[in-house]
Amino acid sequence: MKEITIALDGMGGDSHDPQAVISALRFAFNLNQSLHVMVFGAASLKTALDRSKLDHSRLSFCLAPENIPQDASPKAVLTHYQKAALTQAILAVKEGKAQAVVSSGGTGPLVTLARHYLGCISNMRPALAAKIPGGKDKFSLMLDLGANASCSPSDLYDFARLGHCVLQLAWGIDRPKLCVLNVGSEQGKGSKLVKSARDLMLSDASISCGGFVEANRLFCGDADVIVTDGFTGNVALKAAEGVAHLFAHQQGVKRFFALLAKPEWLQPWHYNGSILLGVRGNVIKSHASATSEALAVAIVEAWKVAELDLCQKIAQHLES
Amino acid sequence: MKEITIALDGMGGDSHDPQAVISALRFAFNLNQSLHVMVFGAASLKTALDRSKLDHSRLSFCLAPENIPQDASPKAVLTHYQKAALTQAILAVKEGKAQAVVSSGGTGPLVTLARHYLGCISNMRPALAAKIPGGKDKFSLMLDLGANASCSPSDLYDFARLGHCVLQLAWGIDRPKLCVLNVGSEQGKGSKLVKSARDLMLSDASISCGGFVEANRLFCGDADVIVTDGFTGNVALKAAEGVAHLFAHQQGVKRFFALLAKPEWLQPWHYNGSILLGVRGNVIKSHASATSEALAVAIVEAWKVAELDLCQKIAQHLES
């Protein structure tokens, strides 16, 4: 098994508790025996890591105490935050010291840095893609989940091609069914954006377009790849999360029933770790409010992506 | 109490079972003692109504057996479906025979007919607005939910003004807080559309703009009015519905626990009946797959809107 190192941004995310990072690393090391992690963060994190009982032979640390605010402009990100943990972690991937980066920081800075330092495939706009549950033992890949607030039909078509590559190269599905998220499944429904994107997809014989899918069928496994703009995708998944949260976070006896009622395949931490597709490097975004278990899942996802060298394979596939 | 008649499109919706309409009328008559309903539909529905034990003094019937397909073009709706149940029901409102219309038919035909026969307020684009739960005993009004697949910033600003009127005139909230649905709550986040809409709202001193709200907070009562374009609003609510459905429709013992776990204030049929704001008449859209109870709720909502003469009051308010 080849040795793989993941660069972890230890400063991003809502929690800056070193113990949360340590728990995540403990889970991740248990889940995957050939994982190495290079942590970028503050001195307090280094102290805590040094004192921890983690396997130190699988761990290295780089001091990078700065965090990039979620709402920093692209210009500010590139000029003022060269020593930030996320910047340094992405540079480690660029320089080959790590094979993938994991960050719970803001999407904006992550996309800006990945585009700038790693570069885009065929001038595509990168998109965040996540595995979502589609019933027992079924999954769909959904993109974009927030890298692009507004998109053109050709952006959506690019997202479809990127998703197609992931299903073929990583999930082993030869001819995945690609659908566009829309307000109805009927042909004539929806915005010009989704209709034009659907037409572009239909005109490409190398991919299989299944038309439209409605948001109430998002978790039914109707499509292998669900294509949408980053604004709609982000809103759809957050609305779904919001309702799941309402069920899970009730008071008293209802909370207990909710835990018993939850479908096993709908545990949210099973699904942490979106991949930024369309850049020349393996970049994984973890949820800002991810638990330690969820962050561990994102780190292991990053390992799998790096092991396949997925982003490089996608680049070869789309540029050949 | 003034006598109010609701025109009911008996042909729209997924179920064409006359018994479902009869059950809905029985529920609605029980919920509201001063309700009269004018039903538009097929002869089979008339036969079933005649045989039913409903109070016939509160019921009238108009034969209009035609249904308008959901995906009929606006031109086709206006030229080929003049005798359809929905068209006749809207004409009954125009002619003062009924004070509000209720339909479970397609949004497209409903909006086309309402605009054409009833007219728009101040050249606004009409928007579908619904009361959504925001916690125990709390609600928000959300619009647009699908009348407009693409919107401009000034459309969203118009939706904010319409929502503001409903909260003031019908909910008795003097200075409602209006927020725009976005991918983040931070000022700089989101598309040009939502940022421009927010700026238009902030520049109007007569309304109170609370900035952005994220989709995972949709059901938390953070805003009195949630403003969005019809594409995003439709996708957000359907994604939420999809997850709620996953919980509710499991097999075996989990189904039982899910019923026990459900927050009382999240019963979907409590919330059926969106109102089409921005037209000169009271138009209520019921969910296409509404149960009899849910259809009854929409009919009673229509009664309340008609009793207030809400759409006329909104027109006076915005045109004064």
Side-chain angles (χ1 to χ4, degrees), chain A residues 155-176:
Chain A
D155 291 332
L156 263 56
Y157 169 61
D158 285 344
F159 300 165
R161 292 165 67 210
L162 287 166
H164 178 88
C165 285
V166 172
L167 274 273
Q168 276 198 337
L169 301 170
W171 297 19
I173 294 177
D174 192 42
R175 202 158 170 81

Side-chain angles (χ1 to χ4, degrees), chain B residues 156-172:
Chain B
L156 263 55
Y157 169 61
D158 285 343
F159 301 165
R161 291 166 67 210
L162 288 165
H164 179 86
C165 286
V166 172
L167 273 273
Q168 275 197 338
L169 300 170
W171 297 19

Side-chain angles (χ1 to χ4, degrees), chain A residues 19-93:
Chain A
Q19 291 309 320
V21 176
I22 291 170
S23 296
L25 289 171
R26 190 185 309 117
F27 283 121
F29 285 160
N30 277 335
L31 286 167
N32 186 307
Q33 301 300 323
S34 56
L35 170 73
H36 287 68
V37 177
M38 191 182 265
V39 182
F40 295 79
S44 56
L45 179 55
K46 180 173 178 8
T47 309
L49 284 169
D50 285 345
R51 284 183 192 156
S52 75
K53 290 180 181 160
L54 291 169
D55 179 350
H56 293 274
S57 70
R58 296 170 66 184
L59 200 59
S60 60
F61 188 86
C62 304
L63 192 66
E66 216 173 350
N67 184 30
I68 308 180
Q70 275 214 32
D71 55 354
S73 72
K75 198 182 158 194
V77 168
L78 295 177
T79 51
H80 301 320
Y81 293 100
Q82 284 162 337
K83 293 188 173 168
L86 176 56
T87 313
Q88 292 299 312
I90 285 182
L91 280 170
V93 171

Side-chain angles (χ1 to χ4, degrees), chain A residues 152-154 156-157 180 191-203 212:
Chain A
S152 69
S154 69
L156 263 56
Y157 169 61
V180 181
S191 60
K192 278 182 193 164
L193 172 65
V194 296
K195 286 190 265 191
S196 303
R198 187 256 336 256
D199 293 344
L200 283 173
M201 286 160 64
L202 283 172
S203 68
F212 296 133

